[in-house]
């Protein structure tokens, strides 16, 4: 039973480019969460999605950031026109249902903006 | 969504020592989960506690859920360098899955 898969593990982008981070949840999980983590800090909630729906995006910057979880395929976190401050580790977690919120995490994507 | 406070924020100890870290809230948890995150990796679920007063053991780790379900503790016996990491608590049953800021534990050989 494959765990949560994130790719790429490392992503380097120049300022102004777009970054696309992918997350495939565990089999049978329909809830996906994205977090950002800066060095030496905790996990900051960004967005919570179910299939084809954004449930809570209160932690996501209003501009340049978007997320989706289509009916088929992985969840995508998209950052347009990246800036140096976007450099961070981005983690995705999935869970089966809201009540059973044992969340399982991917290994993260480390984004570096140069 | 309630705020979770974890303490201490940083802890550096010698191998073989015992330690306890805490997770507290002003509100009642429906359940609580503990995770450990090692450098460069994603958080890994250690345990879920549900019932007030519950105690769960995982090898040298002992997890306790307060009777009032507002607090939890993680006790590590005879810490080893492999226990080094960021220990995070998470309120179960909440939509956002908001974590506490974590306790960064360093166990020195």
């Amino acid at each position: 039973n494959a765990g949560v898969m994130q790719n790429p593990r490392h992503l380097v982008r120049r300022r102004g480019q777009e970054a696309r981070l992918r997350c495939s949840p565990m089999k049978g999980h329909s809830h996906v969460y994205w977090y950002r983590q800066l060095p030496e800090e905790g996990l900051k909630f960004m967005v919570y999605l179910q299939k084809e729906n954004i449930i809570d995006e209160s932690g996501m910057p209003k501009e340049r950031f978007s997320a989706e979880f289509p009916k088929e395929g992985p969840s995508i976190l998209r950052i347009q026109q990246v800036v140096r401050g976007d450099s961070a580790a981005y983690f995705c977690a999935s869970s089966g249902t809201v009540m059973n919120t044992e969340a399982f995490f991917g290994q993260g994507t480390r984004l570096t903006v140069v | 969504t309630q705020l979770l406070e974890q303490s201490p924020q940083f802890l550096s100890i010698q191998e073989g020592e015992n330690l306890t870290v805490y997770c507290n809230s002003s509100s009642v948890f429906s359940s609580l989960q503990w995770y450990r995150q090692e450098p460069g990796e994603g958080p890994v679920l250690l345990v879920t506690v549900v019932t007030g007063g519950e105690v769960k053991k995982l090898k040298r780790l002992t997890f306790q859920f307060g009777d009032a379900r507002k607090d939890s503790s993680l006790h590590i016996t005879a810490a080893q360098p492999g226990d080094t990491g960021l220990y995070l608590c998470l309120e179960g049953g909440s939509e956002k899955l908001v974590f506490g800021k974590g306790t960064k534990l360093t166990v020195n050989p």
Side-chain angles (χ1 to χ4, degrees), chain B residues 23-41:
Chain B
C23 176
N24 297 288
S25 172
S26 56
S27 305
V28 174
F29 295 110
S30 55
S31 64
L32 187 128
Q33 293 152 23
W34 284 94
Y35 291 79
R36 178 171 65 209
Q37 184 182 24
E38 297 182 15
E41 299 295 329

Side-chain angles (χ1 to χ4, degrees), chain A residues 9 33 35 37 40-43 45 48 55-56 58 91 98 101-107 110, chain B residues 33 35 37 40-43 45 48 86 88 90-99 101 104:
Chain A
R9 286 293 306 271
Y33 309 81
Y35 295 83
Q37 187 175 39
E40 305 300 317
E41 294 191 7
L43 292 156
F45 169 82
Y48 163 39
I55 307 302
D56 188 326
S58 58
F91 289 96
V98 173
T101 51
E102 287 190 339
F104 296 87
F105 282 80
Q107 291 188 299
R110 277 139 194 89
Chain B
Q33 293 152 23
Y35 291 79
Q37 184 182 24
E41 299 295 329
L45 178 65
T48 300
L86 180 66
L88 297 155
L90 173 69
E91 177 198 1
S94 66
E95 278 202 339
K96 286 187 181 181
L97 295 190
V98 175
F99 285 89
K101 290 188 177 181
K104 185 175 180 183

Side-chain angles (χ1 to χ4, degrees), chain B:
Chain B
T1 303
Q2 58 185 312
L3 293 176
L4 302 179
E5 293 189 6
Q6 290 193 247
S7 61
Q9 189 175 352
F10 299 96
L11 186 57
S12 180
I13 62 170
Q14 293 300 121
E15 183 176 1
E17 293 183 1
N18 302 332
L19 66 115
T20 303
V21 299
Y22 302 91
C23 176
N24 297 288
S25 172
S26 56
S27 305
V28 174
F29 295 110
S30 55
S31 64
L32 187 128
Q33 293 152 23
W34 284 94
Y35 291 79
R36 178 171 65 209
Q37 184 182 24
E38 297 182 15
E41 299 295 329
V44 175
L45 178 65
L46 296 174
V47 77
T48 300
V49 287
V50 179
T51 306
E54 183 176 5
V55 176
K56 283 190 174 179
K57 294 197 174 189
L58 186 66
K59 296 184 181 178
R60 293 176 293 100
L61 278 59
T62 301
F63 303 86
Q64 188 157 8
F65 202 15
D67 290 339
R69 302 194 352 252
K70 289 185 176 183
D71 58 272
S72 181
S73 64
L74 159 58
H75 181 81
I76 301 179
T77 303
Q80 298 177 2
D83 296 326
T84 292
L86 180 66
Y87 288 81
L88 297 155
C89 65
L90 173 69
E91 177 198 1
S94 66
E95 278 202 339
K96 286 187 181 181
L97 295 190
V98 175
F99 285 89
K101 290 188 177 181
T103 293
K104 185 175 180 183
L105 171 65
T106 303
V107 182
N108 302 299

Side-chain angles (χ1 to χ4, degrees), chain A residues 8-114:
Chain A
R9 286 293 306 271
H10 301 274
L11 181 61
V12 178
R13 283 287 177 265
R14 297 186 185 280
R15 281 178 295 171
Q17 291 185 318
E18 178 179 287
R20 280 187 175 234
L21 288 61
R22 295 176 188 77
C23 170
S24 295
M26 283 183 71
K27 187 177 180 180
H29 283 188
S30 58
H31 300 252
V32 167
Y33 309 81
W34 285 94
Y35 295 83
R36 178 163 64 179
Q37 187 175 39
L38 296 171
E40 305 300 317
E41 294 191 7
L43 292 156
K44 183 184 174 190
F45 169 82
M46 297 182 74
V47 62
Y48 163 39
L49 309 106
Q50 295 178 22
K51 287 280 188 182
E52 300 183 279
N53 283 305
I54 296 174
I55 307 302
D56 188 326
E57 56 181 348
S58 58
M60 203 142 76
K62 295 282 186 282
E63 297 179 350
R64 303 187 299 107
F65 285 72
S66 62
E68 63 176 9
F69 188 16
K71 187 176 180 181
E72 300 290 339
S75 176
I76 306 286
L77 178 66
R78 183 181 176 205
I79 311 172
Q80 295 178 289
Q81 298 175 319
V82 296
V83 300
R84 288 224 171 104
D86 297 332
S87 296
Y90 292 84
F91 289 96
C92 162
S94 74
S95 68
T97 68
V98 173
M99 294 310 296
N100 177 24
T101 51
E102 287 190 339
F104 296 87
F105 282 80
Q107 291 188 299
T109 293
R110 277 139 194 89
L111 172 65
T112 303
V113 179
V114 297

